[in-house]
Amino acid sequence: MERLKSSSRKVTGVKQVTRALKAGKLTLVYVANDADTFLYQQIVRAAEEAGVPCVRVASMKELGIACGVDVSAAAAGILK
């Protein structure tokens, strides 16, 4: 998660991460274990199809803090 905190080029949220994965713009994806099951599976599947490593994070709140946003985040990614 240190890499996510220090990166200035990142996307936050399921929609943005999914779009960036489909466009081939991400090098690493983070997904929260406590995210909605459907969303969790959607992100993991998209990352696998894109060949991008997917890192699990304990909670959405923790991921939101790491992204520097005031709300919880189900997914985040680091741009190339």
Short mmCIF file of all heavy atoms in Angstrom, two decimals:
data_model
loop_
_atom_site.label_atom_id
_atom_site.label_comp_id
_atom_site.label_asym_id
_atom_site.label_seq_id
_atom_site.Cartn_x
_atom_site.Cartn_y
_atom_site.Cartn_z
N MET A 1 0.81 -1.19 0.00
CA MET A 1 0.00 0.00 0.00
C MET A 1 0.85 1.26 0.00
O MET A 1 0.35 2.31 -0.35
CB MET A 1 -0.93 0.01 1.21
CG MET A 1 -2.07 -0.97 1.09
SD MET A 1 -3.61 -0.17 0.75
CE MET A 1 -3.99 0.52 2.32
N GLU A 2 2.09 1.14 0.41
CA GLU A 2 2.98 2.31 0.39
C GLU A 2 3.12 2.84 -1.03
O GLU A 2 3.19 4.05 -1.23
CB GLU A 2 4.36 1.95 0.96
CG GLU A 2 4.35 1.70 2.45
CD GLU A 2 3.83 2.91 3.23
OE1 GLU A 2 4.20 4.06 2.91
OE2 GLU A 2 3.02 2.69 4.15
N ARG A 3 3.15 1.93 -1.99
CA ARG A 3 3.28 2.35 -3.39
C ARG A 3 2.06 3.17 -3.82
O ARG A 3 2.20 4.15 -4.53
CB ARG A 3 3.43 1.11 -4.26
CG ARG A 3 3.72 1.41 -5.68
CD ARG A 3 4.10 0.16 -6.44
NE ARG A 3 4.13 0.46 -7.85
CZ ARG A 3 4.08 -0.42 -8.81
NH1 ARG A 3 4.00 -1.69 -8.51
NH2 ARG A 3 4.11 -0.06 -10.05
N LEU A 4 0.89 2.77 -3.36
CA LEU A 4 -0.33 3.50 -3.67
C LEU A 4 -0.33 4.88 -3.02
O LEU A 4 -0.69 5.87 -3.65
CB LEU A 4 -1.56 2.69 -3.22
CG LEU A 4 -2.93 3.31 -3.53
CD1 LEU A 4 -3.14 3.41 -5.04
CD2 LEU A 4 -4.02 2.48 -2.91
N LYS A 5 0.09 4.94 -1.76
CA LYS A 5 0.12 6.21 -1.04
C LYS A 5 1.07 7.22 -1.69
O LYS A 5 0.79 8.40 -1.75
CB LYS A 5 0.55 5.99 0.41
CG LYS A 5 -0.51 5.31 1.26
CD LYS A 5 0.00 5.11 2.66
CE LYS A 5 -1.00 4.35 3.51
NZ LYS A 5 -0.51 4.09 4.86
N SER A 6 2.20 6.72 -2.17
CA SER A 6 3.22 7.62 -2.71
C SER A 6 3.01 7.96 -4.19
O SER A 6 3.62 8.89 -4.70
CB SER A 6 4.61 7.01 -2.52
OG SER A 6 4.72 5.80 -3.27
N SER A 7 2.14 7.22 -4.86
CA SER A 7 1.92 7.46 -6.29
C SER A 7 1.03 8.66 -6.53
O SER A 7 0.01 8.84 -5.87
CB SER A 7 1.29 6.22 -6.93
OG SER A 7 1.01 6.47 -8.28
N SER A 8 1.40 9.46 -7.50
CA SER A 8 0.56 10.60 -7.86
C SER A 8 -0.36 10.23 -9.02
O SER A 8 -1.30 10.94 -9.31
CB SER A 8 1.43 11.80 -8.23
OG SER A 8 2.21 11.48 -9.37
N ARG A 9 -0.05 9.12 -9.67
CA ARG A 9 -0.85 8.66 -10.81
C ARG A 9 -1.66 7.43 -10.40
O ARG A 9 -1.18 6.31 -10.50
CB ARG A 9 0.05 8.34 -11.99
CG ARG A 9 0.79 9.58 -12.49
CD ARG A 9 1.51 9.41 -13.80
NE ARG A 9 0.95 8.52 -14.77
CZ ARG A 9 -0.02 8.84 -15.65
NH1 ARG A 9 -0.54 10.04 -15.63
NH2 ARG A 9 -0.45 7.97 -16.52
N LYS A 10 -2.88 7.69 -9.93
CA LYS A 10 -3.73 6.59 -9.49
C LYS A 10 -5.18 6.88 -9.82
O LYS A 10 -5.55 8.03 -10.07
CB LYS A 10 -3.57 6.34 -8.00
CG LYS A 10 -3.87 7.52 -7.12
CD LYS A 10 -3.46 7.24 -5.70
CE LYS A 10 -3.30 8.54 -4.94
NZ LYS A 10 -2.42 8.46 -3.83
N VAL A 11 -5.98 5.83 -9.86
CA VAL A 11 -7.43 5.97 -10.04
C VAL A 11 -8.09 5.31 -8.85
O VAL A 11 -7.57 4.35 -8.27
CB VAL A 11 -7.92 5.33 -11.36
CG1 VAL A 11 -7.44 6.11 -12.55
CG2 VAL A 11 -7.50 3.88 -11.46
N THR A 12 -9.25 5.84 -8.47
CA THR A 12 -9.97 5.34 -7.30
C THR A 12 -11.42 5.08 -7.69
O THR A 12 -12.02 5.90 -8.36
CB THR A 12 -9.92 6.37 -6.16
OG1 THR A 12 -8.56 6.72 -5.91
CG2 THR A 12 -10.52 5.80 -4.89
N GLY A 13 -11.92 3.94 -7.25
CA GLY A 13 -13.32 3.60 -7.51
C GLY A 13 -13.45 2.50 -8.54
O GLY A 13 -12.60 2.33 -9.41
N VAL A 14 -14.53 1.75 -8.42
CA VAL A 14 -14.75 0.58 -9.28
C VAL A 14 -14.85 0.98 -10.75
O VAL A 14 -14.22 0.36 -11.61
CB VAL A 14 -16.00 -0.20 -8.82
CG1 VAL A 14 -16.33 -1.32 -9.79
CG2 VAL A 14 -15.80 -0.76 -7.42
N LYS A 15 -15.63 2.00 -11.05
CA LYS A 15 -15.81 2.39 -12.45
C LYS A 15 -14.51 2.84 -13.10
O LYS A 15 -14.18 2.43 -14.21
CB LYS A 15 -16.85 3.52 -12.56
CG LYS A 15 -18.26 3.06 -12.40
CD LYS A 15 -19.22 4.21 -12.62
CE LYS A 15 -20.65 3.77 -12.43
NZ LYS A 15 -21.59 4.87 -12.65
N GLN A 16 -13.77 3.69 -12.40
CA GLN A 16 -12.52 4.19 -12.97
C GLN A 16 -11.49 3.08 -13.13
O GLN A 16 -10.77 3.03 -14.13
CB GLN A 16 -11.96 5.32 -12.11
CG GLN A 16 -12.75 6.59 -12.22
CD GLN A 16 -12.09 7.74 -11.48
OE1 GLN A 16 -11.00 7.62 -10.96
NE2 GLN A 16 -12.76 8.87 -11.45
N VAL A 17 -11.42 2.18 -12.14
CA VAL A 17 -10.46 1.07 -12.22
C VAL A 17 -10.83 0.14 -13.37
O VAL A 17 -9.97 -0.28 -14.15
CB VAL A 17 -10.39 0.31 -10.88
CG1 VAL A 17 -9.61 -0.98 -11.02
CG2 VAL A 17 -9.77 1.19 -9.80
N THR A 18 -12.12 -0.16 -13.51
CA THR A 18 -12.57 -1.04 -14.60
C THR A 18 -12.25 -0.42 -15.96
O THR A 18 -11.73 -1.11 -16.85
CB THR A 18 -14.08 -1.31 -14.48
OG1 THR A 18 -14.35 -1.87 -13.19
CG2 THR A 18 -14.55 -2.28 -15.54
N ARG A 19 -12.53 0.86 -16.13
CA ARG A 19 -12.23 1.54 -17.40
C ARG A 19 -10.73 1.52 -17.69
O ARG A 19 -10.31 1.27 -18.82
CB ARG A 19 -12.70 2.99 -17.35
CG ARG A 19 -14.16 3.15 -17.55
CD ARG A 19 -14.51 4.63 -17.70
NE ARG A 19 -15.89 4.82 -17.30
CZ ARG A 19 -16.31 5.73 -16.44
NH1 ARG A 19 -15.47 6.58 -15.90
NH2 ARG A 19 -17.58 5.83 -16.13
N ALA A 20 -9.93 1.81 -16.69
CA ALA A 20 -8.48 1.84 -16.88
C ALA A 20 -7.92 0.45 -17.20
O ALA A 20 -7.01 0.32 -18.01
CB ALA A 20 -7.80 2.42 -15.64
N LEU A 21 -8.49 -0.59 -16.59
CA LEU A 21 -8.05 -1.96 -16.88
C LEU A 21 -8.37 -2.32 -18.34
O LEU A 21 -7.52 -2.87 -19.04
CB LEU A 21 -8.74 -2.96 -15.95
CG LEU A 21 -8.14 -3.11 -14.56
CD1 LEU A 21 -9.07 -3.91 -13.66
CD2 LEU A 21 -6.77 -3.77 -14.63
N LYS A 22 -9.57 -1.99 -18.78
CA LYS A 22 -9.96 -2.30 -20.15
C LYS A 22 -9.11 -1.54 -21.16
O LYS A 22 -8.86 -2.03 -22.26
CB LYS A 22 -11.44 -1.98 -20.36
CG LYS A 22 -12.34 -2.97 -19.66
CD LYS A 22 -13.80 -2.66 -19.87
CE LYS A 22 -14.65 -3.67 -19.12
NZ LYS A 22 -16.09 -3.38 -19.22
N ALA A 23 -8.65 -0.36 -20.78
CA ALA A 23 -7.82 0.45 -21.67
C ALA A 23 -6.34 0.07 -21.57
O ALA A 23 -5.52 0.61 -22.31
CB ALA A 23 -8.00 1.93 -21.34
N GLY A 24 -6.00 -0.81 -20.65
CA GLY A 24 -4.60 -1.24 -20.50
C GLY A 24 -3.72 -0.19 -19.86
O GLY A 24 -2.53 -0.11 -20.15
N LYS A 25 -4.28 0.62 -18.98
CA LYS A 25 -3.54 1.73 -18.39
C LYS A 25 -3.01 1.47 -16.98
O LYS A 25 -2.35 2.33 -16.42
CB LYS A 25 -4.42 2.98 -18.35
CG LYS A 25 -4.80 3.50 -19.70
CD LYS A 25 -5.64 4.75 -19.58
CE LYS A 25 -5.98 5.33 -20.94
NZ LYS A 25 -6.81 6.53 -20.82
N LEU A 26 -3.28 0.31 -16.38
CA LEU A 26 -2.88 0.07 -14.99
C LEU A 26 -1.73 -0.92 -14.88
O LEU A 26 -1.61 -1.84 -15.69
CB LEU A 26 -4.06 -0.45 -14.17
CG LEU A 26 -5.24 0.50 -13.99
CD1 LEU A 26 -6.32 -0.15 -13.13
CD2 LEU A 26 -4.80 1.79 -13.35
N THR A 27 -0.90 -0.71 -13.86
CA THR A 27 0.19 -1.65 -13.58
C THR A 27 -0.13 -2.50 -12.36
O THR A 27 0.43 -3.58 -12.20
CB THR A 27 1.51 -0.91 -13.32
OG1 THR A 27 1.33 -0.03 -12.21
CG2 THR A 27 1.95 -0.13 -14.53
N LEU A 28 -1.00 -2.00 -11.48
CA LEU A 28 -1.33 -2.71 -10.24
C LEU A 28 -2.72 -2.30 -9.77
O LEU A 28 -3.08 -1.12 -9.89
CB LEU A 28 -0.29 -2.37 -9.16
CG LEU A 28 -0.36 -3.09 -7.84
CD1 LEU A 28 -0.15 -4.60 -8.03
CD2 LEU A 28 0.70 -2.56 -6.89
N VAL A 29 -3.48 -3.27 -9.26
CA VAL A 29 -4.84 -3.01 -8.78
C VAL A 29 -4.93 -3.39 -7.31
O VAL A 29 -4.37 -4.41 -6.90
CB VAL A 29 -5.87 -3.81 -9.60
CG1 VAL A 29 -7.26 -3.69 -9.00
CG2 VAL A 29 -5.88 -3.35 -11.04
N TYR A 30 -5.65 -2.59 -6.54
CA TYR A 30 -5.95 -2.89 -5.14
C TYR A 30 -7.45 -3.06 -5.02
O TYR A 30 -8.21 -2.27 -5.58
CB TYR A 30 -5.50 -1.75 -4.23
CG TYR A 30 -4.01 -1.57 -4.16
CD1 TYR A 30 -3.35 -0.76 -5.07
CD2 TYR A 30 -3.26 -2.20 -3.18
CE1 TYR A 30 -1.98 -0.58 -5.02
CE2 TYR A 30 -1.88 -2.02 -3.11
CZ TYR A 30 -1.26 -1.22 -4.04
OH TYR A 30 0.10 -1.05 -3.98
N VAL A 31 -7.89 -4.08 -4.27
CA VAL A 31 -9.31 -4.30 -4.05
C VAL A 31 -9.54 -4.63 -2.58
O VAL A 31 -8.75 -5.34 -1.96
CB VAL A 31 -9.86 -5.40 -4.99
CG1 VAL A 31 -9.24 -6.74 -4.71
CG2 VAL A 31 -11.37 -5.48 -4.92
N ALA A 32 -10.60 -4.05 -2.01
CA ALA A 32 -10.89 -4.24 -0.58
C ALA A 32 -11.64 -5.55 -0.35
O ALA A 32 -12.59 -5.87 -1.07
CB ALA A 32 -11.71 -3.07 -0.07
N ASN A 33 -11.23 -6.29 0.66
CA ASN A 33 -11.88 -7.56 1.00
C ASN A 33 -13.32 -7.38 1.44
O ASN A 33 -14.14 -8.28 1.23
CB ASN A 33 -11.10 -8.28 2.12
CG ASN A 33 -9.86 -8.95 1.61
OD1 ASN A 33 -9.77 -9.33 0.44
ND2 ASN A 33 -8.87 -9.11 2.47
N ASP A 34 -13.66 -6.25 2.02
CA ASP A 34 -15.02 -6.05 2.51
C ASP A 34 -15.92 -5.33 1.49
O ASP A 34 -17.03 -4.92 1.82
CB ASP A 34 -15.03 -5.31 3.84
CG ASP A 34 -14.46 -3.90 3.76
OD1 ASP A 34 -13.80 -3.58 2.75
OD2 ASP A 34 -14.68 -3.13 4.71
N ALA A 35 -15.47 -5.25 0.26
CA ALA A 35 -16.30 -4.65 -0.80
C ALA A 35 -17.44 -5.61 -1.14
O ALA A 35 -17.37 -6.81 -0.85
CB ALA A 35 -15.46 -4.38 -2.04
N ASP A 36 -18.48 -5.09 -1.76
CA ASP A 36 -19.59 -5.91 -2.21
C ASP A 36 -19.05 -7.07 -3.04
O ASP A 36 -18.15 -6.87 -3.88
CB ASP A 36 -20.54 -5.04 -3.05
CG ASP A 36 -21.70 -5.82 -3.61
OD1 ASP A 36 -22.61 -6.16 -2.82
OD2 ASP A 36 -21.68 -6.11 -4.82
N THR A 37 -19.58 -8.27 -2.82
CA THR A 37 -19.07 -9.47 -3.47
C THR A 37 -19.07 -9.34 -4.99
O THR A 37 -18.10 -9.71 -5.65
CB THR A 37 -19.89 -10.71 -3.06
OG1 THR A 37 -19.88 -10.79 -1.63
CG2 THR A 37 -19.32 -11.97 -3.65
N PHE A 38 -20.15 -8.82 -5.56
CA PHE A 38 -20.24 -8.66 -7.01
C PHE A 38 -19.14 -7.73 -7.53
O PHE A 38 -18.46 -8.04 -8.51
CB PHE A 38 -21.61 -8.12 -7.41
CG PHE A 38 -21.74 -7.84 -8.88
CD1 PHE A 38 -21.92 -8.87 -9.79
CD2 PHE A 38 -21.65 -6.54 -9.36
CE1 PHE A 38 -22.02 -8.61 -11.15
CE2 PHE A 38 -21.75 -6.27 -10.71
CZ PHE A 38 -21.95 -7.32 -11.61
N LEU A 39 -18.95 -6.59 -6.86
CA LEU A 39 -17.92 -5.63 -7.28
C LEU A 39 -16.52 -6.22 -7.11
O LEU A 39 -15.66 -6.04 -7.97
CB LEU A 39 -18.05 -4.34 -6.49
CG LEU A 39 -19.35 -3.56 -6.68
CD1 LEU A 39 -19.37 -2.35 -5.76
CD2 LEU A 39 -19.53 -3.15 -8.12
N TYR A 40 -16.32 -6.92 -6.00
CA TYR A 40 -15.03 -7.55 -5.73
C TYR A 40 -14.67 -8.51 -6.87
O TYR A 40 -13.58 -8.46 -7.43
CB TYR A 40 -15.08 -8.28 -4.39
CG TYR A 40 -13.82 -9.00 -4.02
CD1 TYR A 40 -12.80 -8.34 -3.33
CD2 TYR A 40 -13.61 -10.33 -4.35
CE1 TYR A 40 -11.63 -8.98 -3.00
CE2 TYR A 40 -12.45 -10.98 -4.02
CZ TYR A 40 -11.46 -10.31 -3.34
OH TYR A 40 -10.29 -10.95 -3.02
N GLN A 41 -15.62 -9.38 -7.21
CA GLN A 41 -15.38 -10.37 -8.27
C GLN A 41 -15.18 -9.69 -9.63
O GLN A 41 -14.36 -10.14 -10.43
CB GLN A 41 -16.53 -11.37 -8.34
CG GLN A 41 -16.58 -12.27 -7.13
CD GLN A 41 -17.81 -13.17 -7.13
OE1 GLN A 41 -18.75 -12.97 -7.89
NE2 GLN A 41 -17.79 -14.17 -6.27
N GLN A 42 -15.93 -8.63 -9.88
CA GLN A 42 -15.81 -7.89 -11.14
C GLN A 42 -14.39 -7.33 -11.31
O GLN A 42 -13.79 -7.46 -12.37
CB GLN A 42 -16.83 -6.76 -11.15
CG GLN A 42 -16.81 -5.90 -12.38
CD GLN A 42 -17.79 -4.74 -12.30
OE1 GLN A 42 -18.61 -4.67 -11.41
NE2 GLN A 42 -17.69 -3.82 -13.23
N ILE A 43 -13.86 -6.73 -10.27
CA ILE A 43 -12.51 -6.15 -10.33
C ILE A 43 -11.45 -7.24 -10.49
O ILE A 43 -10.55 -7.13 -11.32
CB ILE A 43 -12.22 -5.29 -9.08
CG1 ILE A 43 -13.11 -4.06 -9.07
CG2 ILE A 43 -10.75 -4.89 -9.01
CD1 ILE A 43 -12.86 -3.09 -10.20
N VAL A 44 -11.56 -8.30 -9.69
CA VAL A 44 -10.57 -9.38 -9.75
C VAL A 44 -10.58 -10.02 -11.14
O VAL A 44 -9.52 -10.27 -11.73
CB VAL A 44 -10.84 -10.43 -8.64
CG1 VAL A 44 -9.97 -11.65 -8.84
CG2 VAL A 44 -10.61 -9.81 -7.27
N ARG A 45 -11.76 -10.27 -11.68
CA ARG A 45 -11.87 -10.87 -13.02
C ARG A 45 -11.27 -9.96 -14.09
O ARG A 45 -10.53 -10.42 -14.96
CB ARG A 45 -13.35 -11.15 -13.33
CG ARG A 45 -13.56 -12.50 -13.97
CD ARG A 45 -15.02 -12.83 -14.23
NE ARG A 45 -15.68 -13.18 -12.97
CZ ARG A 45 -16.77 -12.62 -12.50
NH1 ARG A 45 -17.36 -11.64 -13.16
NH2 ARG A 45 -17.31 -13.00 -11.37
N ALA A 46 -11.57 -8.67 -14.02
CA ALA A 46 -11.05 -7.72 -15.00
C ALA A 46 -9.52 -7.63 -14.92
O ALA A 46 -8.85 -7.54 -15.94
CB ALA A 46 -11.67 -6.35 -14.79
N ALA A 47 -8.99 -7.67 -13.70
CA ALA A 47 -7.53 -7.63 -13.53
C ALA A 47 -6.88 -8.88 -14.11
O ALA A 47 -5.84 -8.80 -14.77
CB ALA A 47 -7.18 -7.47 -12.06
N GLU A 48 -7.50 -10.04 -13.87
CA GLU A 48 -6.97 -11.29 -14.41
C GLU A 48 -6.96 -11.26 -15.93
O GLU A 48 -5.99 -11.66 -16.57
CB GLU A 48 -7.78 -12.48 -13.91
CG GLU A 48 -7.54 -12.82 -12.46
CD GLU A 48 -8.47 -13.91 -11.94
OE1 GLU A 48 -9.38 -14.36 -12.69
OE2 GLU A 48 -8.30 -14.31 -10.77
N GLU A 49 -8.06 -10.80 -16.53
CA GLU A 49 -8.16 -10.72 -17.99
C GLU A 49 -7.12 -9.77 -18.57
O GLU A 49 -6.60 -10.00 -19.65
CB GLU A 49 -9.56 -10.27 -18.40
CG GLU A 49 -10.62 -11.32 -18.16
CD GLU A 49 -12.03 -10.82 -18.41
OE1 GLU A 49 -12.19 -9.66 -18.87
OE2 GLU A 49 -12.98 -11.58 -18.12
N ALA A 50 -6.82 -8.70 -17.84
CA ALA A 50 -5.85 -7.71 -18.31
C ALA A 50 -4.41 -8.12 -17.98
O ALA A 50 -3.47 -7.47 -18.43
CB ALA A 50 -6.16 -6.35 -17.70
N GLY A 51 -4.25 -9.15 -17.17
CA GLY A 51 -2.91 -9.59 -16.78
C GLY A 51 -2.24 -8.65 -15.79
O GLY A 51 -1.02 -8.53 -15.76
N VAL A 52 -3.06 -7.98 -14.97
CA VAL A 52 -2.55 -7.02 -14.00
C VAL A 52 -2.64 -7.64 -12.60
O VAL A 52 -3.67 -8.19 -12.24
CB VAL A 52 -3.38 -5.71 -14.04
CG1 VAL A 52 -2.93 -4.75 -12.97
CG2 VAL A 52 -3.29 -5.08 -15.41
N PRO A 53 -1.56 -7.58 -11.81
CA PRO A 53 -1.61 -8.12 -10.44
C PRO A 53 -2.66 -7.41 -9.59
O PRO A 53 -2.85 -6.20 -9.71
CB PRO A 53 -0.22 -7.87 -9.88
CG PRO A 53 0.61 -7.38 -11.00
CD PRO A 53 -0.28 -6.99 -12.13
N CYS A 54 -3.32 -8.18 -8.75
CA CYS A 54 -4.38 -7.65 -7.90
C CYS A 54 -4.01 -7.90 -6.44
O CYS A 54 -3.79 -9.04 -6.03
CB CYS A 54 -5.69 -8.35 -8.24
SG CYS A 54 -7.12 -7.61 -7.49
N VAL A 55 -3.93 -6.82 -5.65
CA VAL A 55 -3.55 -6.90 -4.25
C VAL A 55 -4.80 -6.72 -3.39
O VAL A 55 -5.56 -5.78 -3.60
CB VAL A 55 -2.52 -5.81 -3.90
CG1 VAL A 55 -2.18 -5.84 -2.42
CG2 VAL A 55 -1.28 -5.97 -4.75
N ARG A 56 -5.01 -7.61 -2.44
CA ARG A 56 -6.15 -7.50 -1.54
C ARG A 56 -5.78 -6.62 -0.35
O ARG A 56 -4.71 -6.73 0.21
CB ARG A 56 -6.56 -8.88 -1.04
CG ARG A 56 -7.09 -9.74 -2.12
CD ARG A 56 -7.46 -11.10 -1.59
NE ARG A 56 -7.95 -11.92 -2.68
CZ ARG A 56 -8.16 -13.20 -2.58
NH1 ARG A 56 -7.94 -13.83 -1.44
NH2 ARG A 56 -8.61 -13.88 -3.61
N VAL A 57 -6.74 -5.76 0.02
CA VAL A 57 -6.58 -4.85 1.15
C VAL A 57 -7.66 -5.20 2.16
O VAL A 57 -8.76 -5.59 1.79
CB VAL A 57 -6.71 -3.38 0.68
CG1 VAL A 57 -6.58 -2.43 1.83
CG2 VAL A 57 -5.70 -3.08 -0.39
N ALA A 58 -7.36 -5.04 3.44
CA ALA A 58 -8.28 -5.46 4.50
C ALA A 58 -9.64 -4.77 4.44
O ALA A 58 -10.67 -5.42 4.59
CB ALA A 58 -7.65 -5.23 5.86
N SER A 59 -9.67 -3.46 4.24
CA SER A 59 -10.96 -2.78 4.30
C SER A 59 -11.05 -1.63 3.30
O SER A 59 -10.04 -1.07 2.86
CB SER A 59 -11.21 -2.22 5.71
OG SER A 59 -10.36 -1.13 5.96
N MET A 60 -12.29 -1.27 2.98
CA MET A 60 -12.55 -0.16 2.08
C MET A 60 -12.09 1.16 2.70
O MET A 60 -11.58 2.03 2.01
CB MET A 60 -14.04 -0.09 1.74
CG MET A 60 -14.52 -1.24 0.87
SD MET A 60 -16.31 -1.32 0.61
CE MET A 60 -16.73 0.33 0.15
N LYS A 61 -12.28 1.29 4.00
CA LYS A 61 -11.86 2.51 4.70
C LYS A 61 -10.35 2.69 4.59
O LYS A 61 -9.86 3.78 4.29
CB LYS A 61 -12.29 2.44 6.16
CG LYS A 61 -11.99 3.69 6.93
CD LYS A 61 -12.59 3.67 8.30
CE LYS A 61 -12.33 5.00 8.98
NZ LYS A 61 -13.13 5.21 10.16
N GLU A 62 -9.60 1.61 4.81
CA GLU A 62 -8.13 1.65 4.72
C GLU A 62 -7.69 2.03 3.31
O GLU A 62 -6.76 2.81 3.12
CB GLU A 62 -7.60 0.26 5.09
CG GLU A 62 -6.11 0.14 5.13
CD GLU A 62 -5.67 -1.27 5.50
OE1 GLU A 62 -6.40 -1.99 6.19
OE2 GLU A 62 -4.57 -1.65 5.06
N LEU A 63 -8.37 1.49 2.30
CA LEU A 63 -8.03 1.79 0.91
C LEU A 63 -8.33 3.25 0.58
O LEU A 63 -7.55 3.91 -0.09
CB LEU A 63 -8.78 0.85 -0.04
CG LEU A 63 -8.40 0.89 -1.51
CD1 LEU A 63 -6.90 0.67 -1.71
CD2 LEU A 63 -9.20 -0.13 -2.29
N GLY A 64 -9.45 3.76 1.08
CA GLY A 64 -9.79 5.16 0.87
C GLY A 64 -8.75 6.10 1.46
O GLY A 64 -8.35 7.08 0.84
N ILE A 65 -8.30 5.78 2.66
CA ILE A 65 -7.27 6.58 3.33
C ILE A 65 -5.97 6.56 2.52
O ILE A 65 -5.32 7.58 2.33
CB ILE A 65 -7.04 6.09 4.77
CG1 ILE A 65 -8.28 6.42 5.62
CG2 ILE A 65 -5.79 6.71 5.37
CD1 ILE A 65 -8.29 5.75 6.98
N ALA A 66 -5.59 5.38 2.03
CA ALA A 66 -4.36 5.25 1.24
C ALA A 66 -4.44 6.04 -0.05
O ALA A 66 -3.42 6.54 -0.54
CB ALA A 66 -4.09 3.77 0.94
N CYS A 67 -5.65 6.19 -0.58
CA CYS A 67 -5.84 6.95 -1.82
C CYS A 67 -5.92 8.45 -1.57
O CYS A 67 -5.90 9.24 -2.51
CB CYS A 67 -7.11 6.49 -2.54
SG CYS A 67 -6.99 4.84 -3.20
N GLY A 68 -6.06 8.82 -0.31
CA GLY A 68 -6.14 10.23 0.03
C GLY A 68 -7.52 10.82 -0.19
O GLY A 68 -7.66 12.02 -0.42
N VAL A 69 -8.55 9.97 -0.12
CA VAL A 69 -9.93 10.48 -0.26
C VAL A 69 -10.64 10.35 1.08
O VAL A 69 -10.26 9.56 1.93
CB VAL A 69 -10.71 9.73 -1.37
CG1 VAL A 69 -10.11 10.01 -2.72
CG2 VAL A 69 -10.75 8.24 -1.11
N ASP A 70 -11.70 11.13 1.26
CA ASP A 70 -12.41 11.17 2.53
C ASP A 70 -13.48 10.10 2.66
O ASP A 70 -14.17 10.03 3.67
CB ASP A 70 -13.06 12.54 2.73
CG ASP A 70 -12.03 13.64 2.87
OD1 ASP A 70 -10.91 13.34 3.34
OD2 ASP A 70 -12.33 14.78 2.51
N VAL A 71 -13.65 9.27 1.63
CA VAL A 71 -14.65 8.21 1.66
C VAL A 71 -13.98 6.86 1.47
O VAL A 71 -12.82 6.77 1.05
CB VAL A 71 -15.72 8.43 0.56
CG1 VAL A 71 -16.53 9.68 0.83
CG2 VAL A 71 -15.08 8.50 -0.80
N SER A 72 -14.72 5.80 1.75
CA SER A 72 -14.20 4.45 1.54
C SER A 72 -14.10 4.16 0.04
O SER A 72 -14.84 4.72 -0.76
CB SER A 72 -15.14 3.43 2.18
OG SER A 72 -15.25 3.66 3.56
N ALA A 73 -13.18 3.28 -0.32
CA ALA A 73 -12.99 2.91 -1.72
C ALA A 73 -12.94 1.39 -1.85
O ALA A 73 -12.23 0.74 -1.09
CB ALA A 73 -11.71 3.52 -2.26
N ALA A 74 -13.70 0.85 -2.79
CA ALA A 74 -13.70 -0.60 -3.01
C ALA A 74 -12.50 -1.03 -3.85
O ALA A 74 -12.00 -2.13 -3.70
CB ALA A 74 -14.99 -1.02 -3.70
N ALA A 75 -12.03 -0.14 -4.72
CA ALA A 75 -10.91 -0.48 -5.62
C ALA A 75 -10.08 0.75 -5.95
O ALA A 75 -10.58 1.88 -5.90
CB ALA A 75 -11.44 -1.11 -6.89
N ALA A 76 -8.84 0.49 -6.28
CA ALA A 76 -7.94 1.56 -6.70
C ALA A 76 -6.87 0.94 -7.60
O ALA A 76 -6.64 -0.27 -7.56
CB ALA A 76 -7.27 2.23 -5.50
N GLY A 77 -6.24 1.76 -8.40
CA GLY A 77 -5.20 1.26 -9.28
C GLY A 77 -4.12 2.29 -9.52
O GLY A 77 -4.35 3.49 -9.40
N ILE A 78 -2.94 1.78 -9.86
CA ILE A 78 -1.80 2.66 -10.17
C ILE A 78 -1.63 2.69 -11.68
O ILE A 78 -1.50 1.64 -12.33
CB ILE A 78 -0.51 2.16 -9.48
CG1 ILE A 78 -0.71 2.21 -7.96
CG2 ILE A 78 0.68 2.98 -9.92
CD1 ILE A 78 0.48 1.71 -7.17
N LEU A 79 -1.64 3.90 -12.22
CA LEU A 79 -1.51 4.09 -13.67
C LEU A 79 -0.06 3.88 -14.13
O LEU A 79 0.87 4.12 -13.37
CB LEU A 79 -1.97 5.49 -14.05
CG LEU A 79 -3.46 5.77 -13.85
CD1 LEU A 79 -3.71 7.28 -13.91
CD2 LEU A 79 -4.28 5.07 -14.90
N LYS A 80 0.06 3.49 -15.38
CA LYS A 80 1.41 3.30 -15.98
C LYS A 80 2.09 4.63 -16.14
O LYS A 80 1.49 5.66 -16.25
CB LYS A 80 1.28 2.63 -17.34
CG LYS A 80 0.84 1.20 -17.27
CD LYS A 80 0.77 0.60 -18.65
CE LYS A 80 0.37 -0.87 -18.54
NZ LYS A 80 0.18 -1.51 -19.81
#
